[in-house]
Amino acid sequence: MAKRSDTRRGELCFYWVASGGDRDEFAQGLLELSADLPLCPVVVRIGGFVDPNAVAHDLLRVLESAKTQLVRPDFAERIRAEGWLDVVLIARRELELDSTSSPVVLPDWFPVRASTSVTATIDDLTWSTRVALSAGEVQVADLRRLVFELDRTLVRVLRTSHAQDHRRVNALYDRLRSGSDGLESFEDLLSGTESTLNRIRNPGDYRPSVSRHPTLVGHIWRVTNATAPDKLPALAKSLAAAVGIAAPEAEGFYETMTMVLERPSQPIEDANVRWGFNFVVSVRAACQLITAAAHADEYAEYPVQLARSLSLDLRTSLDRSIDLLDSRILAGDGIVSD
């Protein structure tokens, strides 16, 4: 909002933001971020904003609902000192009006231009607001934490699986050690991962690597990067076999948008392989996003809803993968509890 105040088009501006979360918490966050600005977030609790001919009426109803805040002496003085006011309308849905401009006669109590007619325009920020990939809305720290937990969980599952029957992990190990130096045994892979993870003090700062002391996730990321989509099902199959995923668990599993975009030319019919495919492409996408966020100044800013949705999609997939792998250990079905 501070950026937009520098390019404002008038004394009074309205902005629309669709939020599926806690709107009161969102409003409070805006207040805290703009403590020195004449900005008034208003949670839209009324109907309306569907008829272009009623926009003026709807805006006045919203302003009346925020009267207490707008006439508060310190806030009103801030508005007069700056000479402008931004009103942020926080709604549950996106704005679907073709026309969002309308003349409005402001109430006689309004802090600026009281009882005068102004042209009110609502700018929909739901998709036009852009943020860097490192912005808080992307929740990169939570993504890093989940990748860290996934790495740890993979070690536990694969160590137990290897102890039960080393043949189960052979195909995965062959693929992960391809193109990598220093992996003399599967135990080296597991121990190396544990050693790297044990040095991490804050999982929210974790950054997987494909070159410096790579972990299981790092090796999966490296191999997935170097493998064409049509050949990834083989890696997916070896992973599913190594962790002991059974078809009933894999069927109906959460699939990311990344899986759709990375799909091979031939549909994957086997549920276990499909689960493994989703796993490896989601891991790669998560690692790529974490790395891009660390170098956010090298990339463009993106619509906040898009960045948040991508992050949520990946975090949901990683979180459910962790739960499923944990359940394999606890169930004792093929893989026993350690």
Side-chain angles (χ1 to χ4, degrees):
M1 297 305 301
K3 291 181 182 178
R4 290 181 179 272
S5 68
D6 294 333
T7 57
R8 58 184 311 98
R9 294 180 295 173
E11 299 165 286
L12 177 63
C13 293
F14 294 90
Y15 300 98
W16 182 281
V17 177
S19 174
D22 187 321
R23 292 181 296 161
D24 291 304
E25 183 177 313
F26 187 96
Q28 184 59 38
L30 276 181
L31 284 175
E32 293 172 359
L33 290 171
S34 57
D36 298 327
L37 296 175
L39 182 146
C40 177
V42 180
V43 176
V44 180
R45 304 187 191 280
I46 63 171
F49 296 99
V50 293
D51 181 356
N53 297 318
V55 169
H57 175 68
D58 295 335
L59 284 175
L60 288 175
R61 291 172 63 199
V62 167
L63 292 177
E64 285 290 343
S65 71
K67 179 178 179 179
T68 300
Q69 182 178 348
L70 290 170
V71 300
R72 199 179 67 232
D74 60 326
F75 190 71
E77 179 57 33
R78 190 186 310 164
I79 297 171
R80 287 189 286 268
E82 296 291 339
W84 55 269
L85 170 67
D86 283 344
V87 180
V88 182
L89 309 176
I90 306 170
R92 291 198 182 280
R93 60 176 176 82
E94 294 181 25
L95 188 63
E96 298 177 355
L97 291 172
D98 293 331
S99 175
T100 56
S101 295
S102 177
V104 173
V105 178
L106 297 173
D108 56 9
W109 52 262
F110 209 69
V112 292
R113 302 193 62 178
S115 301
T116 62
S117 178
V118 299
T119 298
T121 300
I122 308 174
D123 286 337
D124 189 352
L125 301 185
T126 304
W127 288 101
S128 63
T129 300
R130 293 175 174 266
V131 296
L133 293 175
S134 58
E137 292 88 345
V138 187
Q139 298 193 41
V140 177
D142 193 39
L143 188 62
R144 289 174 170 174
R145 177 188 61 79
L146 286 166
V147 171
F148 177 84
E149 290 184 12
L150 184 63
D151 242 339
R152 277 215 179 280
T153 305
L154 271 176
V155 171
R156 295 174 62 211
V157 174
L158 292 176
R159 187 180 293 283
T160 306
S161 186
H162 180 249
Q164 288 183 341
D165 186 350
H166 68 86
R167 293 171 298 179
R168 212 185 255 165
V169 303
N170 284 346
L172 176 64
Y173 174 53
D174 286 341
R175 295 183 182 282
L176 295 187
R177 71 175 177 175
S178 175
S180 179
D181 297 327
L183 287 182
E184 297 181 359
S185 69
F186 192 71
E187 179 58 34
D188 286 341
L189 175 59
L190 300 181
S191 298
T193 296
E194 286 182 321
S195 178
T196 297
L197 296 178
N198 287 339
R199 291 194 292 269
I200 304 300
R201 294 291 174 262
N202 180 7
D205 293 331
Y206 178 50
R207 281 187 59 189
S209 172
V210 298
S211 56
R212 295 187 58 195
H213 308 295
T215 61
L216 280 164
V217 161
H219 284 292
I220 291 172
W221 180 18
R222 174 183 55 80
V223 174
T224 305
N225 270 344
T227 306
D230 280 349
K231 294 185 178 181
L232 277 178
L235 172 63
K237 182 178 181 179
S238 68
L239 175 69
V243 299
I245 292 298
E249 297 169 312
E251 291 170 353
F253 191 79
Y254 183 89
E255 296 180 350
T256 63
M257 181 64 72
T258 300
M259 178 177 175
V260 177
L261 299 178
E262 296 280 355
R263 72 191 189 282
S265 57
Q266 296 297 319
I268 302 175
E269 303 293 346
D270 187 290
N272 296 349
V273 177
R274 194 176 179 92
W275 175 87
F277 189 92
N278 180 76
F279 185 99
V280 298
V281 296
S282 296
V283 163
R284 173 172 61 185
C287 292
Q288 295 284 91
L289 181 55
I290 288 171
T291 303
H295 303 278
D297 58 333
E298 300 176 12
Y299 300 94
E301 294 185 340
Y302 295 89
V304 63
Q305 292 286 64
L306 174 62
R308 288 178 63 182
S309 296
L310 172 61
S311 174
L312 177 60
D313 192 40
L314 294 173
R315 285 183 286 121
T316 300
S317 180
L318 296 182
D319 189 47
R320 295 190 183 180
S321 292
I322 292 168
D323 286 344
L324 180 56
L325 293 175
D326 274 336
S327 73
R328 298 296 299 140
I329 296 174
L330 296 174
D333 180 16
I335 298 178
V336 298
S337 174
D338 58 1

